[in-house]
Amino acid sequence: MRALTLLNLSGDVTIVWEPENDEKMLPLIEAKMKQGFTFFLIEPRLGGLAPPDASKPLKKAADALKHRALAIRDGDFEALVSAGGAALVPTPSKPARTVRKAKTPADVVKAESVAVQPMRGG
C-alpha cells in the first residue's frame, strides 16, 4: 500500500492507495508539484495505518463521504477518493522521518511521502 500525507490542509490528511492505482495518482502528484507543493519521501510507517473497513461497503459514494470521519479539502484528491482509487485513513501518530526530497512524481507515487503546500506571504 502507498501513502501520502498532506500537511496543513485544514489539518493533516493521509491518503492511501494500492499499487494498481499508481497511474491515477501520478497526474495528481505532477499537478501538485507544478502548483508548488513539495514532497518528501519518508521512512515507511504503514504499520500504523488502518485501511478502511471494506467488510461493510456503503452503497453510494455520497453516503460514503457523508459518513466518513475524515474529509479532504483538495478537489483533485477528493475526486480520486470518491471514485474509489484511493482512501482516507487517520494520519499515523508515528513521526515521519524524511529520507529525501522527491525529485519527480514517479518518486512520490511508489513510496510513502509527506506533501507541504507552497509558502504564502501575508
Side-chain angles (χ1 to χ4, degrees), residues 95-114:
R97 293 178 44 110
T98 302
V99 174
R100 67 179 170 88
K101 182 179 173 184
K103 296 177 183 172
T104 68
D107 289 343
V108 177
V109 81
K110 296 185 187 265
E112 287 190 44
S113 61
V114 173

Side-chain angles (χ1 to χ4, degrees), residues 7-74:
L7 299 180
N8 301 321
L9 241 141
S10 298
D12 299 344
V13 177
T14 299
I15 302 165
V16 295
W17 65 97
E18 296 295 334
E20 58 266 15
N21 289 318
D22 286 353
E23 69 281 352
K24 294 177 184 174
M25 287 296 293
L26 193 61
L28 294 178
I29 294 167
E30 184 175 25
K32 295 304 170 195
M33 283 183 156
K34 287 179 181 176
Q35 292 173 11
F37 279 70
T38 303
F39 292 82
F40 297 94
L41 304 180
I42 61 171
E43 289 181 358
R45 55 185 188 157
L46 282 176
L49 296 178
D53 183 3
S55 65
K56 300 176 186 172
L58 297 170
K59 293 182 174 70
K60 296 180 183 176
D63 286 345
L65 291 176
K66 178 180 172 187
H67 296 291
R68 293 242 190 246
L70 300 169
I72 186 166
R73 293 185 55 110
D74 183 286

